[in-house]
PDB file of all heavy atoms in Angstrom:
ATOM      1  N   PRO B  40     -11.535 -18.984   6.997  1.00  0.00           N
ATOM      2  CA  PRO B  40     -12.014 -17.778   7.727  1.00  0.00           C
ATOM      3  C   PRO B  40     -10.887 -17.271   8.623  1.00  0.00           C
ATOM      4  O   PRO B  40     -10.297 -17.994   9.396  1.00  0.00           O
ATOM      5  CB  PRO B  40     -13.242 -18.246   8.567  1.00  0.00           C
ATOM      6  CG  PRO B  40     -13.733 -19.414   7.766  1.00  0.00           C
ATOM      7  CD  PRO B  40     -12.566 -20.074   7.184  1.00  0.00           C
ATOM      8  N   GLY B  41     -10.675 -15.922   8.566  1.00  0.00           N
ATOM      9  CA  GLY B  41      -9.713 -15.287   9.422  1.00  0.00           C
ATOM     10  C   GLY B  41      -8.266 -15.560   9.022  1.00  0.00           C
ATOM     11  O   GLY B  41      -7.346 -15.123   9.754  1.00  0.00           O
ATOM     12  N   GLN B  42      -8.007 -16.164   7.899  1.00  0.00           N
ATOM     13  CA  GLN B  42      -6.639 -16.492   7.404  1.00  0.00           C
ATOM     14  C   GLN B  42      -6.346 -15.834   6.088  1.00  0.00           C
ATOM     15  O   GLN B  42      -7.283 -15.475   5.396  1.00  0.00           O
ATOM     16  CB  GLN B  42      -6.431 -17.986   7.332  1.00  0.00           C
ATOM     17  CG  GLN B  42      -6.549 -18.772   8.651  1.00  0.00           C
ATOM     18  CD  GLN B  42      -6.139 -20.201   8.529  1.00  0.00           C
ATOM     19  OE1 GLN B  42      -5.622 -20.633   7.561  1.00  0.00           O
ATOM     20  NE2 GLN B  42      -6.502 -21.016   9.502  1.00  0.00           N
ATOM     21  N   SER B  43      -5.087 -15.747   5.767  1.00  0.00           N
ATOM     22  CA  SER B  43      -4.633 -15.229   4.491  1.00  0.00           C
ATOM     23  C   SER B  43      -4.803 -16.425   3.463  1.00  0.00           C
ATOM     24  O   SER B  43      -4.762 -17.571   3.860  1.00  0.00           O
ATOM     25  CB  SER B  43      -3.200 -14.837   4.543  1.00  0.00           C
ATOM     26  OG  SER B  43      -2.962 -13.870   5.541  1.00  0.00           O
ATOM     27  N   PRO B  44      -4.995 -16.054   2.242  1.00  0.00           N
ATOM     28  CA  PRO B  44      -5.058 -17.138   1.161  1.00  0.00           C
ATOM     29  C   PRO B  44      -3.762 -17.896   1.087  1.00  0.00           C
ATOM     30  O   PRO B  44      -2.661 -17.436   1.461  1.00  0.00           O
ATOM     31  CB  PRO B  44      -5.275 -16.322  -0.117  1.00  0.00           C
ATOM     32  CG  PRO B  44      -5.869 -14.998   0.325  1.00  0.00           C
ATOM     33  CD  PRO B  44      -5.152 -14.686   1.613  1.00  0.00           C
ATOM     34  N   LYS B  45      -3.876 -19.139   0.704  1.00  0.00           N
ATOM     35  CA  LYS B  45      -2.703 -20.028   0.487  1.00  0.00           C
ATOM     36  C   LYS B  45      -2.767 -20.620  -0.927  1.00  0.00           C
ATOM     37  O   LYS B  45      -3.764 -21.012  -1.477  1.00  0.00           O
ATOM     38  CB  LYS B  45      -2.762 -21.174   1.455  1.00  0.00           C
ATOM     39  CG  LYS B  45      -2.563 -20.762   2.907  1.00  0.00           C
ATOM     40  CD  LYS B  45      -2.600 -21.945   3.875  1.00  0.00           C
ATOM     41  CE  LYS B  45      -2.433 -21.451   5.310  1.00  0.00           C
ATOM     42  NZ  LYS B  45      -2.516 -22.608   6.236  1.00  0.00           N
ATOM     43  N   LEU B  46      -1.569 -20.601  -1.595  1.00  0.00           N
ATOM     44  CA  LEU B  46      -1.422 -21.104  -2.964  1.00  0.00           C
ATOM     45  C   LEU B  46      -1.588 -22.595  -2.909  1.00  0.00           C
ATOM     46  O   LEU B  46      -0.908 -23.352  -2.185  1.00  0.00           O
ATOM     47  CB  LEU B  46      -0.128 -20.707  -3.532  1.00  0.00           C
ATOM     48  CG  LEU B  46       0.225 -21.171  -4.888  1.00  0.00           C
ATOM     49  CD1 LEU B  46      -0.769 -20.564  -5.916  1.00  0.00           C
ATOM     50  CD2 LEU B  46       1.655 -20.780  -5.260  1.00  0.00           C
ATOM     51  N   LEU B  47      -2.502 -23.169  -3.809  1.00  0.00           N
ATOM     52  CA  LEU B  47      -2.707 -24.608  -3.942  1.00  0.00           C
ATOM     53  C   LEU B  47      -2.044 -25.122  -5.225  1.00  0.00           C
ATOM     54  O   LEU B  47      -1.312 -26.108  -5.253  1.00  0.00           O
ATOM     55  CB  LEU B  47      -4.135 -24.912  -3.970  1.00  0.00           C
ATOM     56  CG  LEU B  47      -4.972 -24.706  -2.747  1.00  0.00           C
ATOM     57  CD1 LEU B  47      -6.437 -25.015  -2.995  1.00  0.00           C
ATOM     58  CD2 LEU B  47      -4.479 -25.560  -1.582  1.00  0.00           C
ATOM     59  N   ILE B  48      -2.425 -24.455  -6.374  1.00  0.00           N
ATOM     60  CA  ILE B  48      -2.115 -24.932  -7.676  1.00  0.00           C
ATOM     61  C   ILE B  48      -1.594 -23.725  -8.516  1.00  0.00           C
ATOM     62  O   ILE B  48      -2.056 -22.607  -8.361  1.00  0.00           O
ATOM     63  CB  ILE B  48      -3.401 -25.469  -8.379  1.00  0.00           C
ATOM     64  CG1 ILE B  48      -4.001 -26.662  -7.561  1.00  0.00           C
ATOM     65  CG2 ILE B  48      -3.063 -25.903  -9.810  1.00  0.00           C
ATOM     66  CD1 ILE B  48      -3.233 -27.965  -7.548  1.00  0.00           C
ATOM     67  N   TYR B  49      -0.510 -23.962  -9.281  1.00  0.00           N
ATOM     68  CA  TYR B  49      -0.082 -22.977 -10.227  1.00  0.00           C
ATOM     69  C   TYR B  49       0.094 -23.546 -11.596  1.00  0.00           C
ATOM     70  O   TYR B  49       0.254 -24.757 -11.767  1.00  0.00           O
ATOM     71  CB  TYR B  49       1.210 -22.372  -9.714  1.00  0.00           C
ATOM     72  CG  TYR B  49       2.376 -23.315  -9.617  1.00  0.00           C
ATOM     73  CD1 TYR B  49       3.298 -23.406 -10.652  1.00  0.00           C
ATOM     74  CD2 TYR B  49       2.523 -24.103  -8.512  1.00  0.00           C
ATOM     75  CE1 TYR B  49       4.411 -24.282 -10.512  1.00  0.00           C
ATOM     76  CE2 TYR B  49       3.557 -24.981  -8.379  1.00  0.00           C
ATOM     77  CZ  TYR B  49       4.508 -25.018  -9.372  1.00  0.00           C
ATOM     78  OH  TYR B  49       5.580 -25.944  -9.302  1.00  0.00           O
ATOM     79  N   TYR B  50       0.110 -22.688 -12.570  1.00  0.00           N
ATOM     80  CA  TYR B  50       0.128 -23.078 -13.982  1.00  0.00           C
ATOM     81  C   TYR B  50      -0.933 -24.179 -14.277  1.00  0.00           C
ATOM     82  O   TYR B  50      -0.625 -25.261 -14.911  1.00  0.00           O
ATOM     83  CB  TYR B  50       1.491 -23.585 -14.413  1.00  0.00           C
ATOM     84  CG  TYR B  50       2.472 -22.413 -14.649  1.00  0.00           C
ATOM     85  CD1 TYR B  50       3.861 -22.572 -14.388  1.00  0.00           C
ATOM     86  CD2 TYR B  50       2.056 -21.229 -15.221  1.00  0.00           C
ATOM     87  CE1 TYR B  50       4.755 -21.505 -14.581  1.00  0.00           C
ATOM     88  CE2 TYR B  50       2.937 -20.180 -15.477  1.00  0.00           C
ATOM     89  CZ  TYR B  50       4.238 -20.315 -15.145  1.00  0.00           C
ATOM     90  OH  TYR B  50       5.155 -19.328 -15.347  1.00  0.00           O
ATOM     91  N   ALA B  51      -2.095 -23.976 -13.678  1.00  0.00           N
ATOM     92  CA  ALA B  51      -3.306 -24.730 -13.938  1.00  0.00           C
ATOM     93  C   ALA B  51      -3.270 -26.194 -13.274  1.00  0.00           C
ATOM     94  O   ALA B  51      -4.313 -26.597 -12.845  1.00  0.00           O
ATOM     95  CB  ALA B  51      -3.564 -24.920 -15.420  1.00  0.00           C
ATOM     96  N   SER B  52      -2.140 -26.849 -13.220  1.00  0.00           N
ATOM     97  CA  SER B  52      -2.168 -28.213 -12.807  1.00  0.00           C
ATOM     98  C   SER B  52      -0.953 -28.635 -11.909  1.00  0.00           C
ATOM     99  O   SER B  52      -0.892 -29.806 -11.551  1.00  0.00           O
ATOM    100  CB  SER B  52      -2.192 -29.120 -14.026  1.00  0.00           C
ATOM    101  OG  SER B  52      -1.009 -28.923 -14.808  1.00  0.00           O
ATOM    102  N   ASN B  53      -0.112 -27.684 -11.555  1.00  0.00           N
ATOM    103  CA  ASN B  53       1.004 -27.945 -10.708  1.00  0.00           C
ATOM    104  C   ASN B  53       0.689 -27.738  -9.188  1.00  0.00           C
ATOM    105  O   ASN B  53       0.296 -26.614  -8.864  1.00  0.00           O
ATOM    106  CB  ASN B  53       2.191 -27.114 -11.095  1.00  0.00           C
ATOM    107  CG  ASN B  53       2.731 -27.473 -12.474  1.00  0.00           C
ATOM    108  OD1 ASN B  53       3.476 -28.404 -12.664  1.00  0.00           O
ATOM    109  ND2 ASN B  53       2.217 -26.706 -13.513  1.00  0.00           N
ATOM    110  N   ARG B  54       0.820 -28.736  -8.420  1.00  0.00           N
ATOM    111  CA  ARG B  54       0.498 -28.637  -6.997  1.00  0.00           C
ATOM    112  C   ARG B  54       1.674 -27.968  -6.350  1.00  0.00           C
ATOM    113  O   ARG B  54       2.902 -28.298  -6.496  1.00  0.00           O
ATOM    114  CB  ARG B  54       0.344 -30.066  -6.449  1.00  0.00           C
ATOM    115  CG  ARG B  54      -0.579 -30.177  -5.260  1.00  0.00           C
ATOM    116  CD  ARG B  54      -0.773 -31.696  -4.897  1.00  0.00           C
ATOM    117  NE  ARG B  54      -1.606 -32.315  -5.947  1.00  0.00           N
ATOM    118  CZ  ARG B  54      -1.187 -33.357  -6.603  1.00  0.00           C
ATOM    119  NH1 ARG B  54       0.048 -33.840  -6.536  1.00  0.00           N
ATOM    120  NH2 ARG B  54      -2.007 -33.979  -7.525  1.00  0.00           N
ATOM    121  N   TYR B  55       1.417 -26.984  -5.487  1.00  0.00           N
ATOM    122  CA  TYR B  55       2.425 -26.263  -4.766  1.00  0.00           C
ATOM    123  C   TYR B  55       2.986 -27.042  -3.669  1.00  0.00           C
ATOM    124  O   TYR B  55       2.377 -28.100  -3.203  1.00  0.00           O
ATOM    125  CB  TYR B  55       1.817 -24.903  -4.208  1.00  0.00           C
ATOM    126  CG  TYR B  55       2.854 -24.036  -3.550  1.00  0.00           C
ATOM    127  CD1 TYR B  55       3.980 -23.517  -4.234  1.00  0.00           C
ATOM    128  CD2 TYR B  55       2.748 -23.690  -2.183  1.00  0.00           C
ATOM    129  CE1 TYR B  55       4.937 -22.786  -3.640  1.00  0.00           C
ATOM    130  CE2 TYR B  55       3.709 -22.863  -1.559  1.00  0.00           C
ATOM    131  CZ  TYR B  55       4.847 -22.466  -2.324  1.00  0.00           C
ATOM    132  OH  TYR B  55       5.765 -21.675  -1.690  1.00  0.00           O
ATOM    133  N   ASN B  56       4.139 -26.659  -3.198  1.00  0.00           N
ATOM    134  CA  ASN B  56       4.851 -27.433  -2.057  1.00  0.00           C
ATOM    135  C   ASN B  56       3.925 -27.704  -0.934  1.00  0.00           C
ATOM    136  O   ASN B  56       3.317 -26.871  -0.361  1.00  0.00           O
ATOM    137  CB  ASN B  56       6.023 -26.659  -1.614  1.00  0.00           C
ATOM    138  CG  ASN B  56       7.069 -26.431  -2.703  1.00  0.00           C
ATOM    139  OD1 ASN B  56       7.113 -27.129  -3.681  1.00  0.00           O
ATOM    140  ND2 ASN B  56       7.917 -25.465  -2.492  1.00  0.00           N
ATOM    141  N   GLY B  57       3.867 -29.000  -0.566  1.00  0.00           N
ATOM    142  CA  GLY B  57       3.162 -29.377   0.622  1.00  0.00           C
ATOM    143  C   GLY B  57       1.585 -29.559   0.503  1.00  0.00           C
ATOM    144  O   GLY B  57       0.949 -29.977   1.447  1.00  0.00           O
TER     145      GLY B  57
END
Side-chain angles (χ1 to χ4, degrees):
Chain B
Q42 296 185 16
S43 304
K45 293 181 180 178
L46 179 64
L47 294 176
I48 302 287
Y49 62 97
Y50 284 144
S52 61
N53 294 275
R54 211 173 289 118
Y55 185 60
N56 297 341

